[in-house]
């Protein structure tokens, strides 16, 4: 089987290499000369555990090569980005998906399968992609099999989840679904769930929306509890003892290219109906501002000068800063205050400090915005180099905080006080 993948990013690359590992001949296509050059030279341009080894093996076995142009094959997989459009509700911008589809059209032959993996707004496969293919004279379901197979993999665990997650195979016809199942059956050990293409599209969006709405509930609880002087984290712990309750964890906001983006695709299609989904987005988008306010309160109470931001990535142990609330917090602090702002993220190239030690030395406040493992245990010797050892752990992930003289979380943030003068 020859697979042509269009888009070699966080999804297209691991998917290509997974097909290659399981015996398919894979041509990965990307518009970026840099990405194509890197990959053919054996270098992986993104941080994801296991990928470098998969690439080395695929290149050595001549099962994978990267190219700027699509070519003929049996299966075409489109895995290109779908950002929010710059319209009222941030609808799904299908520009790249349409361009990728147009790019493969001249290569299509009867019997081929076209798979859309990109996250798309409901009805896109049938209303937009199918007509593009049919205008070339093919009949979808008879000559070309068209399927929407949304990805569900968690960054940081992509290679494991590609194999073990259940997978929705949304065919335009039954035959399309069957073809999709055959193709993913090459490596997927989870269940292959047949569905209509439109069901697959909306299910994918609802999975991320479910999480976004639940995180919004936790973030709203933080704001309520902060006003009432109640520890939100203890409330969550207690409430989750109920057998049918699973409150999510609050944080500095919701980042990444999924939860912070996909719910708008639903809102844009049905704004009158998607009120809760929209409101949840508003709550989560407000969290960076809430955090900045609390940071200002802490700094004011302690008359500090330097703030150290620990973590810029949108979540722990990844290098991805897309939609990261940490970046918004840094920008707001830089714009609205005269404090010295120092950032440190070992995964992100352009942070200010190059080590935890240089980041914290002489600082007045450490704010943890990303739960990287390296921040979970901060050595006492480093904490002692701070001018005022105050921690604001927005991810509630730092262990053994005794060396900090004040330790704030989203649970106790209503109790900000001035620390003893002798440490200032
Ligand atoms: N977050 C919280 N509280 C929580 C959980 C997460 O504030 O209780 C925040 C994280 O810090 C991060 C954001 O939410 O900023 C998103 O992180 P995540 O780990 O929930 O999800 P992603 O964006 O890395 O991956 C999601 C996954 N979807 C679901 O869990 C439903 C993944 O399975 C999808 O494949 C991926 O989106 C995608 O590509 O759509």
């Amino acid at each position: 089987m020859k697979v042509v993948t269009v888009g070699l990013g966080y999804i297209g690359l691991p998917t290509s290499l997974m097909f290659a590992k399981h015996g398919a001949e894979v041509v990965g296509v990307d518009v970026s000369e840099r990405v194509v050059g890197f990959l053919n030279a054996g270098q992986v341009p993104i941080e994801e555990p296991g990928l470098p080894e998969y690439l080395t093996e695929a290149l050595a076995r001549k099962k994978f090569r990267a190219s700027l142009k699509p070519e003929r094959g049996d299966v075409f997989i489109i895995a290109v980005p779908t950002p929010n459009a710059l319209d009222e509700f941030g609808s799904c911008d299908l520009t790249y998906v349409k361009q990728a589809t147009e790019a493969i059209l001249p290569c299509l032959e009867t019997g081929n399968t076209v798979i859309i993996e990109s996250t798309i707004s409901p009805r896109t496969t049938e209303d937009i992609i199918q007509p593009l293919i049919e205008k070339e004279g093919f009949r979808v379901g008879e000559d070309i099999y068209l399927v929407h197979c949304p990805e569900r993999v968690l960054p940081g665990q992509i290679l494991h989840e590609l194999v073990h997650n259940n997978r929705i195979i949304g065919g335009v016809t039954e035959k399309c679904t069957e073809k999709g199942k055959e193709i993913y059956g090459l490596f997927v050990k989870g269940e292959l769930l047949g569905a209509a293409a439109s069901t697959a599209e909306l299910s994918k969006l609802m999975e991320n929306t479910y999480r976004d709405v639940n995180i919004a509930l936790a973030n709203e609880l933080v704001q309520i509890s902060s006003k009432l002087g109640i520890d939100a984290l203890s409330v969550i712990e207690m409430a989750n003892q109920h057998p049918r309750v699973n409150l999510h964890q609050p944080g500095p906001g919701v980042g990444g290219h999924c939860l912070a983006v996909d719910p708008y695709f639903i809102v844009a299609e049905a704004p009158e109906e998607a009120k809760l989904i929209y409101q949840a987005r508003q709550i989560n988008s407000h969290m960076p501002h809430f955090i900045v306010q609390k940071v200002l309160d802490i700094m004011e109470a302690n008359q500090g000068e330097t703030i150290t931001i620990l973590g810029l990535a949108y979540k722990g142990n990844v290098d991805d800063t897309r939609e990261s609330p940490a970046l918004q917090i840094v920008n707001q602090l830089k714009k609205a205050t005269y404090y010295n702002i120092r950032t440190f993220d070992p995964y992100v190239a352009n942070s200010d400090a190059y080590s935890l030690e240089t980041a914290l030395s002489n600082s007045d406040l450490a704010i943890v915005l990303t739960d990287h493992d390296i921040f979970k245990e901060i050595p006492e010797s480093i904490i002692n180099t701070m001018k005022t050892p105050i921690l604001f752990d927005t991810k509630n992930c730092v262990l053994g905080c005794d060396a900090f003289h004040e330790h704030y979380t989203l649970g106790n943030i209503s109790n900000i006080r001035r620390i003893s003068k002798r440490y200032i």
Side-chain angles (χ1 to χ4, degrees):
M1 177 167 68
K2 180 171 169 185
V3 178
V4 178
T5 316
V6 185
L8 294 174
Y10 285 93
I11 301 304
L13 179 60
T15 303
S16 300
L17 296 178
M18 190 57 81
F19 272 107
K21 187 167 181 76
H22 290 82
E25 180 196 343
V26 183
V27 178
V29 180
D30 202 285
V31 289
S32 162
E33 281 183 28
R34 184 183 149 268
V35 168
V36 168
F38 256 59
L39 290 170
N40 285 332
Q43 286 174 322
V44 176
I46 52 173
E47 173 85 28
E48 178 63 33
L51 268 194
E53 294 78 1
Y54 268 56
L55 177 63
T56 307
E57 186 191 321
L59 289 172
R61 290 173 54 220
K62 298 201 183 325
K63 288 291 182 190
F64 173 82
R65 72 194 144 83
S67 166
L68 287 164
K69 283 214 155 49
E71 54 191 73
R72 291 188 190 281
D74 304 303
V75 178
F76 293 82
I77 299 179
I78 294 179
V80 293
T82 45
N84 293 115
L86 297 172
D87 52 21
E88 189 182 358
F89 294 111
S91 66
C92 179
D93 181 348
L94 290 168
T95 308
Y96 300 124
V97 174
K98 285 191 217 160
Q99 277 170 0
T101 310
E102 301 274 5
I104 62 166
L105 288 178
C107 308
L108 285 187
E109 293 170 299
T110 299
N112 286 169
T113 303
V114 175
I115 298 171
I116 312 291
E117 281 218 17
S118 302
T119 304
I120 46 183
S121 46
R123 309 218 61 87
T124 299
T125 309
E126 281 160 87
D127 293 354
I128 293 173
I129 309 299
Q130 184 174 353
L132 284 177
I133 294 173
E134 292 192 332
K135 95 175 173 345
E136 296 298 298
F138 296 113
R139 282 156 308 169
V140 163
E142 287 171 41
D143 307 317
I144 299 288
Y145 305 105
L146 177 60
V147 204
H148 177 52
C149 296
E151 57 78 21
R152 295 166 137 178
V153 288
L154 198 68
Q157 305 178 29
I158 292 180
L159 292 173
H160 176 85
E161 293 207 351
L162 268 179
V163 174
H164 296 279
N165 286 0
N166 296 340
R167 184 112 205 187
I168 308 175
I169 312 287
V172 169
T173 65
E174 293 274 336
K175 188 78 204 269
C176 295
T177 305
E178 255 173 56
K179 279 284 177 184
K181 283 188 179 180
E182 237 173 66
I183 292 160
Y184 285 96
L186 192 65
F187 62 82
V188 174
K189 295 203 171 113
E191 225 179 302
L192 296 169
L193 306 158
S198 54
T199 306
E201 290 160 343
L202 192 51
S203 319
K204 162 69 193 184
L205 296 175
M206 281 309 291
E207 290 164 15
N208 284 344
T209 299
Y210 163 85
R211 209 154 156 82
D212 194 49
V213 169
N214 278 285
I215 297 167
L217 191 60
N219 285 337
E220 187 166 272
L221 169 66
V222 164
Q223 294 175 56
I224 296 166
S225 304
S226 167
K227 183 171 181 182
L228 302 180
I230 297 170
D231 186 327
L233 298 182
S234 302
V235 172
I236 292 172
E237 201 182 330
M238 291 304 116
N240 283 350
Q241 295 301 317
H242 185 288
R244 285 173 295 282
V245 173
N246 176 24
L247 284 171
H248 284 40
Q249 292 305 311
V254 169
H257 206 60
C258 309
L259 273 60
V261 172
D262 299 356
Y264 291 118
F265 296 178
I266 302 177
V267 175
E269 296 302 314
E272 281 302 312
E273 293 75 13
K275 292 194 174 78
L276 175 63
I277 297 175
Y278 184 67
Q279 190 60 35
R281 281 280 69 242
Q282 300 291 100
I283 293 166
N284 288 335
S285 303
H286 173 72
M287 279 313 279
H289 184 69
F290 176 82
I291 300 291
V292 167
Q293 284 307 316
K294 295 298 175 191
V295 169
L296 296 185
D297 292 348
I298 298 171
M299 290 300 279
E300 205 179 305
N302 291 284
Q303 291 157 17
E305 288 165 3
T306 302
I307 300 171
T308 302
I309 306 279
L310 297 179
L312 295 173
Y314 84 93
K315 69 176 199 173
N317 305 327
V318 302
D319 66 348
D320 193 343
T321 55
R322 289 178 300 173
E323 314 296 327
S324 176
L327 296 185
Q328 291 178 44
I329 291 167
V330 171
N331 285 340
Q332 286 185 28
L333 283 172
K334 281 188 175 166
K335 255 195 212 153
T337 72
Y338 293 104
Y339 296 121
N340 302 320
I341 313 293
R342 217 184 268 164
T343 60
F344 176 58
D345 190 317
Y347 291 86
V348 177
N350 56 350
S351 56
D352 304 328
Y354 57 85
S355 69
L356 202 50
E357 198 155 11
T358 51
L360 288 176
S361 162
N362 227 20
S363 174
D364 295 293
L365 171 63
I367 317 170
V368 173
L369 296 177
T370 310
D371 48 353
H372 290 317
D373 285 346
I374 182 181
F375 300 148
K376 292 186 179 162
E377 286 181 53
I378 303 177
E380 197 173 330
S381 56
I382 295 183
I383 297 171
N384 289 338
T385 66
M386 291 179 72
K387 194 159 149 215
T388 49
I390 306 176
L391 171 69
F392 180 15
D393 177 8
T394 68
K395 297 297 293 180
N396 193 28
C397 66
V398 184
L399 306 164
C401 306
D402 293 350
F404 285 102
H405 295 293
E406 285 297 332
H407 169 204
Y408 298 110
T409 62
L410 291 178
N412 68 358
I413 197 64
S414 55
N415 302 328
I416 295 169
R417 59 195 178 117
R418 188 181 164 86
I419 70 169
S420 162
K421 265 219 170 90
R422 68 197 161 93
Y423 300 112
I424 298 178

